[in-house]
Amino acid sequence: MVDVLPVLAEGLCVAGLVQQAVGSWLIARRDRNVVPNDVSAIGLPGISLLKPLYGTEPLLDIALESCFLLDYPKYQIVFGAEDPADPALSHVAALARRYPGVDVAVMCGARPVGRNRKVANLMAMLPGARHDLLVISDADIHVPRDYLTSIATAWRAAPDGMVTSYYTGLPAGDALPSVLGAMQINHQFLPGAAIARALGRQDCLGATMALSRATLEAIGGFPALLDHVADDNVLGRRVRARGQVVGLAGTIPATSVTESTFSALFRHELRWARTIRALVPGAYWGMLVQFPLFWALAGLVLAGFATWAWVFLALASGVRYIVARYLERRLGLAGGGAKAPLLAKTAPPWLFLLRDSLSAIIFGASFWSDNVEWRGQVLRADNGAAAPPA
């Protein structure tokens, strides 16, 4: 039995590396076969881009400014904050002055009562939206210029459903927790999401949620999401329950990763892990293969630090690095060479070993409790199917 354990660990490592490679290839392939963007204004619907705000953070002004630079003929940005003194509103005011040609609405004041403050914010923002196609995107999302064109193109293929998009992680600085957080998104979440979609899953990812006002009303409106932590997942489930599809746009925005301390990063990723475990408890076990270098390290220990296990760890680290470098180059995230800034270079293999080990710890900790911390609240992760207990 003792001899079997290191082999089992190495097997999980190999499965993880295959998963990373296949998922990265799918992402890269999608990058080449991106949904053709219709650059013509003919037939493109007007869009209201909803951006809920909650305080300020590093890179917020850059993320918000990207929404003012979109190559889309007719769109409106609706910002919303519960607190009229929210510091994020000062960024919005400055950008509105800098780009007077952009249609902007700001909705402030008291919000409906509910567990999910972001959804409560969206409910209060909705009256300010002028167009029938709604695109919901968090404030920390950096969007490319063709963001709305890509979404509108995908949405026209299934106007009764909704559209989502993949996203990448952008470190807000060179602090190690921030870099590790971006690595989790780019090299664990992203390949896993691509494989899940290739296998037929149509998960709605919170970076982009686009649907018509009629579809939103048909699934019960924002109030139907108000008591759920994973509003994006619940929204996608409700759309699919109506027999409609959750399409995928070719655009890939980026989210800021602002955690500068390990404790903040741990809390953030633990919230993700417990939320996913509550939503899909069976599929959650598939995440065991998403930290392959941890299993290679475990195999080394279980094998009593045998020479072959050292060689396996070295080879696995090399493969992990090569796959990551391939994906980052295809997404334009790295490739600047040795003289490039830290954040424009693929992380060294030892950092992937640290990243995967941290993910393994978070995976184990996710079973300790169902509670998650989010924006100063302690909430209970729910399965998205019924109202959670108080």
Side-chain angles (χ1 to χ4, degrees), residues 47 49 70 72 75 135 144-153:
I47 292 178
L49 176 58
L70 298 172
Y72 197 78
Y75 75 102
V135 176
R145 286 180 178 269
D146 65 350
Y147 179 65
L148 294 183
T149 307
S150 179
I151 291 171
T153 303

Side-chain angles (χ1 to χ4, degrees), residues 28-365:
R29 178 172 173 264
R30 177 161 192 82
D31 196 33
R32 288 198 300 272
N33 298 332
V34 63
V35 177
N37 289 337
D38 184 356
V39 297
S40 168
I42 299 175
L44 290 179
I47 292 178
S48 287
L49 176 58
L50 307 184
K51 305 289 287 187
L53 304 172
Y54 183 79
T56 188
E57 60 187 14
L59 301 186
L60 179 64
D61 53 342
I62 298 175
L64 295 179
E65 185 172 18
S66 68
C67 300
F68 286 77
L69 302 172
L70 298 172
D71 291 334
Y72 197 78
K74 187 178 181 181
Y75 75 102
Q76 170 203 30
I77 313 175
V78 183
F79 296 99
E82 179 178 356
D83 184 358
D86 192 307
L89 293 173
S90 62
H91 294 290
V92 171
L95 289 167
R97 289 193 297 270
R98 191 180 309 163
Y99 302 98
V102 178
D103 186 0
V104 174
V106 178
M107 309 292 287
C108 297
R111 292 329 194 210
V113 177
R115 298 173 75 233
N116 191 319
R117 291 179 177 173
K118 170 186 160 184
V119 173
N121 202 358
L122 290 169
M123 289 173 63
M125 294 164 61
L126 189 58
R130 295 195 299 106
H131 301 293
D132 286 334
L133 180 53
L134 308 171
V135 176
I136 304 161
S137 175
D138 289 342
D140 60 356
I141 297 297
H142 303 248
V143 298
R145 286 180 178 269
D146 65 350
Y147 179 65
L148 294 183
T149 307
S150 179
I151 291 171
T153 303
W155 176 78
R156 288 198 304 185
D160 294 327
M162 65 174 300
V163 171
T164 189
S165 75
Y166 296 133
Y167 61 95
T168 59
L170 176 65
D174 57 3
L176 185 55
S178 180
V179 174
L180 290 172
M183 291 171 66
Q184 191 276 337
I185 295 172
N186 298 338
H187 302 300
Q188 292 180 357
F189 155 76
L190 195 53
I195 288 180
R197 180 157 282 266
L199 293 176
R201 289 185 63 92
Q202 294 185 12
D203 295 317
C204 174
L205 307 177
T208 300
M209 299 183 285
L211 72 171
S212 70
R213 199 184 292 263
T215 299
L216 178 62
E217 292 173 356
I219 61 97
F222 286 130
L225 315 177
L226 187 59
D227 285 326
H228 299 288
V229 174
D231 52 271
D232 50 356
N233 183 281
V234 176
L235 179 58
R237 285 186 184 188
R238 286 178 172 262
V239 169
R240 295 197 305 276
R242 296 184 62 248
Q244 302 300 326
V245 301
V246 178
L248 186 69
T251 186
I252 300 183
T255 183
S256 301
V257 181
T258 60
E259 285 76 19
S260 58
T261 65
F262 278 98
S263 61
L265 179 67
F266 188 85
R267 289 194 300 273
H268 192 166
E269 294 190 355
L270 188 59
R271 172 167 65 84
W272 285 345
R274 286 178 175 169
T275 300
I276 295 171
R277 182 174 63 80
L279 290 168
V280 285
Y284 183 69
W285 286 99
M287 295 179 67
L288 275 173
V289 300
Q290 289 195 340
F291 25 90
L293 294 192
F294 166 79
W295 292 117
L297 183 63
L300 174 66
V301 175
L302 292 169
F305 300 94
T307 302
W308 70 266
W310 280 108
V311 173
F312 186 91
L313 176 60
L315 290 174
S317 298
V319 172
R320 187 88 160 95
Y321 175 81
I322 291 171
V323 172
R325 188 173 177 82
Y326 163 78
L327 178 60
E328 291 189 355
R329 282 177 174 262
R330 293 308 305 261
L331 293 175
L333 303 178
K339 295 182 179 179
L342 174 64
L343 301 182
K345 293 185 291 189
T346 302
W350 70 266
L351 211 52
F352 281 97
L353 180 59
L354 177 60
R355 174 63 265 181
D356 287 0
S357 298
L358 178 60
S359 294
I361 293 171
I362 290 171
F363 182 87

